[in-house]
Amino acid sequence: MNKEKKLPDTELEVMTAIWHCEIPVKTAEIARHIDRDWTMSTIQALLARLEEKGYVKVMKEGRLKTYVPLISEEEYRDQETVRFFERFHRKSVRSLFMTLVKNESLTEADLQELEAMIQKEENRYD
């Protein structure tokens, strides 16, 4: 399974729909969770790519196919965050936080939460 590669936006949209459905999920249910005017054949082609890449498992019951994710949304988000951090910030926490601060992405509550998390980590090493 090659989960090391970032999913294209179209495949990620299908995965997001799967993550928000009751598992196992049918193609028609996936289609209801997608905000695009895609045909069923487009969705099926994207599902086939996700199966090839090892992101979903296909279960067949007669002619009916259902899908089960082989990676959780949290696992994928964590992988993408690490990739982003390494690629764009070269593993520099300072660079990441300076970007967030410059763009006013952090609220006072965010900063307090970060401070509490840092304090908790520091206490682990005391």
Side-chain angles (χ1 to χ4, degrees):
M1 175 173 2
N2 186 2
K3 294 180 188 169
E4 296 303 313
K5 288 190 134 186
K6 179 181 185 293
L7 289 174
D9 289 345
T10 53
E11 292 172 20
L12 180 57
E13 193 166 339
V14 172
M15 280 304 298
T16 300
I18 293 170
W19 288 322
H20 292 106
C21 291
E22 190 170 322
I23 304 304
V25 60
K26 298 175 187 170
T27 309
E29 183 65 20
I30 294 167
R32 282 194 282 279
H33 282 82
I34 294 175
D35 291 331
R36 294 199 196 210
D37 193 22
W38 285 341
T39 63
M40 287 302 274
S41 61
T42 298
I43 294 169
Q44 290 167 340
L46 292 167
L47 286 164
R49 283 192 224 158
L50 289 167
E51 180 186 16
E52 281 177 25
K53 292 178 180 180
Y55 282 89
V56 297
K57 176 182 175 185
V58 180
M59 298 166 49
K60 294 179 183 178
E61 300 169 16
R63 294 179 55 212
L64 178 67
K65 290 182 180 179
T66 58
Y67 299 87
V68 175
L70 296 176
I71 184 171
S72 72
E73 186 173 16
E74 181 180 5
E75 288 171 314
Y76 185 77
R77 183 181 54 243
D78 290 350
Q79 288 177 7
E80 281 303 296
T81 300
V82 168
R83 271 196 284 275
F84 172 81
F85 180 62
E86 291 172 349
R87 182 173 179 203
F88 289 102
H89 295 282
R90 294 190 172 89
K91 299 183 183 182
S92 168
V93 174
R94 183 179 192 285
S95 171
L96 174 65
F97 281 100
M98 290 308 297
T99 300
L100 294 172
V101 169
K102 277 193 302 189
N103 292 303
E104 300 178 13
S105 300
L106 296 175
T107 65
E108 182 66 33
D110 292 332
L111 293 171
Q112 289 174 358
E113 186 176 354
L114 286 168
E115 188 174 1
M117 288 169 36
I118 291 168
Q119 186 64 46
K120 182 179 176 183
E121 285 301 307
E122 285 176 346
N123 289 341
R124 278 184 34 194
Y125 298 106
D126 288 345

